[in-house]
Amino acid sequence: MKQLILLMIALLAVLQYRLWQGDNNFSEYVVLQTQIEAQQQSNEKLVARNQILKEEIIDLQSGTEAIEERARNELGMVKEGETFYRVISTESREQPFNQ
């Protein structure tokens, strides 16, 4: 009976050592869990961004309105027959030009 108790205590000691000090110990587990959570959040952001890009690609492939909007916003293009007005705020006129 004493041998069985000693064997159980030795087994418990070995298991406790492996839990706290051995390979893949508890502290490494906690660190890995936080890294997994951070990576999952990053992945969710990337999935959302990819979905927006997919929708934009479909929109660009389906018609000319999206292409026209991008040309106006990014390239400053104006349709034939349209008049372009540039509005300059009065605040920028009142301030002298200094370099």
Side-chain angles (χ1 to χ4, degrees):
M1 185 70 170
K2 286 185 179 183
Q3 291 176 347
L4 183 62
I5 292 174
L6 289 175
L7 180 66
M8 294 297 240
I9 291 172
L11 182 62
L12 180 64
V14 168
L15 290 175
Q16 285 294 314
Y17 174 79
R18 289 194 63 201
L19 176 66
W20 299 109
Q21 301 297 325
D23 293 336
N24 300 323
N25 60 30
F26 186 73
S27 62
E28 288 179 15
Y29 169 78
V30 172
V31 169
L32 287 175
Q33 283 299 108
T34 57
Q35 288 176 352
I36 288 171
E37 289 175 11
Q39 188 64 47
Q40 285 175 340
Q41 290 176 355
S42 175
N43 288 350
E44 289 172 4
K45 289 178 186 177
L46 292 173
V47 165
R49 189 186 104 216
N50 286 346
Q51 184 61 35
I52 291 170
L53 290 173
K54 284 179 186 178
E55 291 172 2
E56 188 173 339
I57 289 170
I58 291 170
D59 195 27
L60 287 171
Q61 289 175 342
S62 65
T64 60
E65 291 178 11
I67 296 170
E68 183 179 323
E69 180 183 345
R70 287 191 81 147
R72 287 176 179 269
N73 291 334
E74 295 177 11
L75 303 174
M77 297 184 83
V78 180
K79 279 187 177 178
E80 191 174 322
E82 288 184 337
T83 305
F84 176 75
Y85 292 97
R86 184 173 183 183
V87 178
I88 301 173
S89 67
T90 57
E91 293 174 7
S92 63
R93 284 191 199 168
E94 294 173 0
Q95 297 175 356
F97 183 75
N98 295 327
Q99 277 193 349

